[in-house]
Amino acid sequence: MSPTRRAIALGVAPVLLVGVAVGVAAIDAGESAVAPVVASDAPFTLSGHGHGHGRGMGQWGAYGYAKNEGWSAERIVAHYYGGTDLGEVTGKRLGVRLVGLDGKGLNVVSDAGARVAGRDVGPGEAVHLTATPGGGAGVVVTKGCDGEVLWQAATDHPWVDPIDLATDRPVDQLLKLCGGGAFRGSLGVALEGTAPRVLNHLDIEDYLLGVVPVEAKADWADSGGKEALRAQAIAARSYAAAEHRYPYAETCDTQDCQVYAGASREDPRTTEAVRTTAGKVVTKDGKPVAAEFSSSTGGYTSGGVFPAVEDLGDALSPTHDWTQTLTAGDIAKAFGVGELRSIAVVGRNNLGVDGGRVTELEVTGTGGTARVSGMEARTKLGIKSDWFTVTEGLVPGGGPSPAPAPDLRAEPAPGEQPVAPTEIERKYAEIGGATGVLGKPIGPEMSMPDEVGKFRMFEGGAIVWTPGLGAQVIDASVVLSELPGTGSAG
């Protein structure tokens, strides 16, 4: 097939086809103007670059610059966040919504004791808080998490405080959820309308001790990447300092904000990164900016709030280049166009190899034509980034379609009525639950922007459900890129 005929078939300007193959059956001039249907099992290979939305800092790129070029954290940050300055915040405290506890009360204990409602709570005694209208809480203190009631009260200060509110306290002074992890700072409750919320209130430096080890790879410090972890600490601090999500809390603990695991995942290597950058933030006009970051840029950031820059450090990324195979049927179903006739890259941003990231994709089928942005295409196809080409047929290195993702639902608590599983939960169970490819859930089922569907995040990916496509397993970074204001790596 000649390049000219392929360009006609795809509806793509020839300049966009340099180094790009986006294939369906071509049509000779003079033939029917309607392209033939592509067999539903016909394979298409997607070849792409990077993992995540590509905005701001690339984490693998930061590691590459630190390890191979000896760049400092400050130089890394300056490279990715053009047009900004390095500033400082001190003494800032944050309220963090613990999303996994939405709809529940707070049950907390401490080995060293605590304070609630103006009274001391002894070591090992548990506090149970229930939010009440008007900003207060009902308090029940028991002997241990499940023991006899020691005393009850009502309070207008709906917080359990540790015995010492200072930062960087020893482990035995931290508050611990009954049956759960430990947290620095105070734990409390609030109402969002009538919906209960559980919150963690703490100093931003203590907060970062629970963010950096789950948003970055602590073992990079062992292979020349200490400065990359320091850069991550600066970016995460900046993002948190710029957050104002809710009336009752600045941020949350999921990928919708930044992943935060409390004190249970702290690592000495990332703790050092936080402490040696204490207070440093990315600023513009003297104010902290939401310093977004993603796993791998593929070699060029995507631009937006921060200018697009070449990312040579990303060459170390395991997803610097990737391939994935889908069938014509997969593609047609993803876009709801009936049987596939053609798929065409209509526009690119002209930054990097293959013409750069897709800015517009056209998919035509027997049921109509869909024109979407590259980011929308990424979401619908469940691929790693919006920087990709599409080739008809199999190519060396092309991988199979991703396996469906596991669905999670805990057994109901004693005395609780069983609840019918959601479509996401059914899919999770179908692919093995917590022992399957997705591993354990790391957040509740939540609504997509504009209520177009639901999603749930897991250790190894995400499950998304929409009325048109049903439940599908995709890369977590695809979901993250569609959530407003997310700073987390995708």
Side-chain angles (χ1 to χ4, degrees):
M1 180 184 301
S2 72
T4 301
R5 291 176 62 196
R6 181 172 294 277
I8 293 171
L10 299 178
V12 182
V15 67
L16 294 177
L17 294 175
V18 176
V20 182
V22 183
V24 292
I27 309 170
D28 282 320
E31 292 179 350
S32 169
V34 179
V37 168
V38 181
S40 63
D41 60 353
F44 286 77
T45 300
L46 285 78
S47 302
H49 311 282
H51 192 176
H53 52 63
R55 299 188 294 270
M57 185 176 72
Q59 292 170 301
W60 276 99
Y63 174 59
Y65 283 128
K67 177 182 174 67
N68 294 336
E69 305 297 330
W71 283 18
S72 68
E74 291 77 9
R75 183 174 179 183
I76 291 169
V77 167
H79 177 69
Y80 289 107
Y81 301 111
T84 65
D85 300 304
L86 204 57
E88 187 173 351
V89 295
T90 57
K92 184 173 179 60
R93 297 182 68 84
L94 298 171
V96 184
R97 173 184 170 187
L98 304 181
V99 175
L101 297 178
D102 279 359
K104 301 177 182 179
L106 172 64
N107 306 292
V108 64
V109 67
S110 174
D111 294 337
R115 284 187 62 81
V116 66
R119 297 176 59 176
D120 291 335
V121 177
E125 295 178 357
V127 180
H128 310 270
L129 284 188
T130 303
T132 55
V139 182
V140 177
V141 177
T142 61
K143 189 174 182 179
C145 287
D146 301 307
E148 63 178 293
V149 174
L150 300 176
W151 56 273
Q152 303 181 56
T155 181
D156 58 4
H157 180 72
W159 295 94
V160 182
D161 297 321
I163 59 171
D164 189 336
L165 282 168
T167 60
D168 200 18
R169 303 313 302 158
V171 172
D172 68 324
Q173 292 186 14
L174 305 186
L175 302 180
K176 298 185 294 185
L177 299 177
C178 289
F183 291 84
R184 297 184 180 278
S186 304
L187 291 167
V189 294
L191 291 175
E192 185 172 7
T194 59
R197 301 286 183 253
V198 174
L199 316 173
N200 183 197
H201 194 254
L202 72 171
D203 186 270
I204 193 170
E205 300 300 321
D206 276 354
Y207 164 77
L208 291 171
L209 298 180
V211 170
V212 181
V214 290
E215 286 283 16
K217 298 170 70 69
D219 59 5
W220 278 351
D222 305 327
S223 56
K226 281 187 177 182
E227 292 300 310
L229 297 181
R230 294 182 71 246
Q232 181 68 54
I234 294 171
R237 184 181 294 106
S238 306
Y239 192 87
E243 284 270 81
H244 301 285
R245 294 257 171 171
Y246 317 104
Y248 53 85
E250 282 72 33
T251 189
C252 68
D253 65 343
T254 70
Q255 293 96 332
D256 189 23
C257 305
Q258 294 186 108
V259 182
Y260 167 63
S264 60
R265 295 279 296 278
E266 290 179 11
D267 186 286
R269 296 164 294 190
T270 50
T271 294
E272 180 184 355
V274 172
R275 288 175 174 159
T276 60
T277 61
K280 290 185 177 181
V281 290
V282 180
T283 65
K284 191 165 189 176
D285 299 326
K287 297 179 180 179
V289 298
E292 290 184 286
F293 49 87
S294 64
S295 175
S296 169
T297 67
Y300 229 106
T301 66
S302 60
V305 174
F306 309 106
V309 293
E310 190 173 16
D311 187 2
L312 299 178
D314 191 73
L316 289 180
S317 168
T319 53
H320 182 75
D321 301 308
W322 52 264
T323 59
Q324 183 173 324
T325 300
L326 298 173
T327 66
D330 294 331
I331 296 169
K333 181 179 180 181
F335 293 95
V337 295
E339 297 178 275
L340 184 67
R341 294 190 186 277
S342 65
I343 177 171
V345 173
V346 179
R348 293 185 178 275
N349 70 358
N350 297 318
L351 297 173
V353 299
D354 300 332
R357 298 174 187 271
V358 174
T359 57
E360 189 171 12
L361 185 78
E362 180 179 279
V363 182
T364 300
T366 57
T369 296
R371 276 204 173 214
V372 299
S373 69
M375 291 304 295
E376 290 175 292
R378 176 194 173 206
T379 301
K380 291 179 181 295
L381 295 172
I383 56 178
K384 290 180 172 62
S385 74
D386 60 348
W387 188 351
F388 62 90
T389 63
V390 186
T391 303
E392 184 179 1
L394 295 173
V395 300
S401 300
D407 179 26
L408 46 96
R409 188 175 193 83
E411 292 298 318
E416 182 181 338
Q417 292 298 313
V419 179
T422 65
E423 293 302 316
I424 288 178
E425 291 166 346
R426 289 193 180 99
K427 173 62 74 174
Y428 183 58
E430 175 188 317
I431 58 176
T435 60
V437 296
L438 287 186
K440 296 178 182 179
I442 54 176
E445 192 167 309
M446 301 178 70
S447 295
M448 294 291 288
D450 300 323
E451 303 294 329
V452 296
K454 301 283 188 179
F455 73 94
R456 194 165 190 179
M457 309 300 297
F458 300 83
E459 292 174 332
I463 301 176
V464 171
W465 173 87
T466 65
L469 299 178
Q472 297 188 358
V473 175
I474 65 173
D475 283 321
S477 60
V478 177
V479 176
L480 300 183
S481 69
E482 295 302 308
L483 299 176
T486 179
S488 288

